[in-house]
Amino acid sequence: MAKSETVANAERLVEVMMKGNDASHDPAHAFRVRDLALSLAHEEVLSSSPISLEIVELAALLHDIGDYKYLRNPSEEKIVEEFLAKEGMDMDKSSKILDIIKGLGFKEELKGVLNGSYTPEFGVVQDADRLDAIGAIGIARCFTFGGSRNRVLHDPNIQPRLDLSKAQYMKKDDQTTVNHFHEKLLKLKDLMKTKAGKRRAEKRHKFMEEFLHEFYEEWTGKLNVGVKGE
């Protein structure tokens, strides 16, 4: 299927607006989430609706433009809304795209924004974003982001905050990169909205658990080595 002009323009906007971000939230992240979301949409039988697919693709592409973690200017919060208006997007589709983006984040779920109510399009976009936050890619992104903020890798004396409010989650002071796995990433598997997302999350979740097991063993120096003196 030929790419629409609006999608092509959205891709260019992503390249411009996210090119200065660290690699945890760069254009490649947005493009991976778009590809995952469209794949999930097909598994969830949304492919029969071109309108649904357009909403999914644009919401996935644009979801991190105006992210609070990277805001350089408050006006950037309106960039997606202004882009959709400039593209002549009708109000119904525009509202659905903006609603997906607004409710997508983990912090919104902590706040209880969804209350168990969401559209199929929202489900596949959120699941796609969360799949990119776990597994091998998720591990790489987690340490990339932590490094970009000069965050401590791990400190056994700093315990993860397991019962977080939105305000507490957004307050990152004195937290370690490894604690982010316990505060968010290991919780995502059970928060997937779609059957397809749940299936894919299982493998990625297991990989993170195995990684953390290895990490803690190596941190404490208790890892068994094959040959003494090596």
Side-chain angles (χ1 to χ4, degrees):
M1 182 180 295
K3 184 186 300 182
S4 75
E5 184 176 350
T6 297
V7 168
N9 289 339
E11 291 175 341
R12 285 190 283 271
L13 181 64
V14 167
E15 293 279 8
V16 170
M17 294 305 304
M18 299 179 68
K19 67 179 180 181
N21 295 353
D22 64 82
S24 71
H25 291 80
D26 63 356
H29 163 63
F31 297 146
R32 286 194 306 272
V33 172
R34 183 266 305 276
D35 294 343
L36 277 167
L38 289 176
S39 178
L40 292 175
H42 283 280
E43 288 188 49
E44 294 292 312
V45 201
L46 288 177
S47 56
S48 59
S49 170
I51 292 175
S52 288
L53 289 180
E54 183 180 25
I55 290 169
V56 165
E57 183 164 18
L58 289 171
L61 278 171
L62 302 170
H63 77 279
D64 266 341
I65 294 177
D67 185 333
Y68 75 98
K69 297 186 294 296
Y70 296 92
L71 280 183
R72 296 167 287 254
N73 187 304
S75 65
E76 293 180 4
E77 294 179 333
K78 293 289 187 180
I79 286 177
V80 173
E81 184 177 350
E82 292 168 355
F83 168 79
L84 295 174
K86 184 179 178 181
E87 290 295 312
M89 185 74 58
D90 69 65
M91 288 299 296
D92 183 56
K93 281 195 287 188
S94 179
S95 294
K96 288 178 179 178
I97 292 167
L98 293 171
D99 285 346
I100 290 172
I101 293 171
K102 183 179 179 181
L104 208 60
F106 184 68
K107 66 185 186 301
E108 304 306 329
E109 193 135 15
L110 290 172
K111 189 180 177 183
V113 169
L114 297 180
N115 293 320
S117 176
Y118 52 86
T119 64
E121 293 85 358
F122 177 92
V124 297
V125 176
Q126 187 183 66
D127 281 5
D129 190 34
R130 289 178 169 179
L131 285 170
D132 204 58
I134 61 178
I137 290 288
I139 292 169
R141 290 181 63 217
C142 184
F143 284 101
T144 296
F145 182 79
S148 75
R149 303 302 167 101
N150 295 316
R151 196 167 289 167
V152 174
L153 191 66
H154 176 53
D155 184 342
N157 295 314
I158 301 176
Q159 295 299 307
R161 305 160 300 169
L162 299 181
D163 189 17
L164 289 172
S165 66
K166 177 180 176 179
Q168 290 169 329
Y169 174 75
M170 293 177 71
K171 189 174 185 296
K172 301 294 186 180
D173 297 348
D174 299 324
Q175 281 305 302
T176 71
T177 295
V178 167
N179 278 358
H180 189 62
F181 285 89
H182 300 284
E183 293 180 355
K184 175 184 176 181
L185 305 186
L186 291 171
K187 298 178 180 180
L188 296 182
K189 173 178 71 73
D190 294 329
L191 293 173
M192 292 288 165
K193 302 295 187 295
T194 68
K195 291 180 180 179
K198 290 177 189 293
R199 285 194 298 270
R200 298 195 192 192
E202 290 288 343
K203 179 182 177 182
R204 298 189 185 212
H205 181 86
K206 183 179 179 182
F207 188 87
M208 288 195 301
E209 290 182 322
E210 292 170 349
F211 168 80
L212 287 171
H213 178 77
E214 179 78 8
F215 180 92
Y216 290 129
E217 279 196 338
E218 293 185 14
W219 186 272
T220 59
K222 294 179 180 178
L223 183 68
N224 293 322
V225 294
V227 180
K228 290 184 179 181
E230 287 188 351

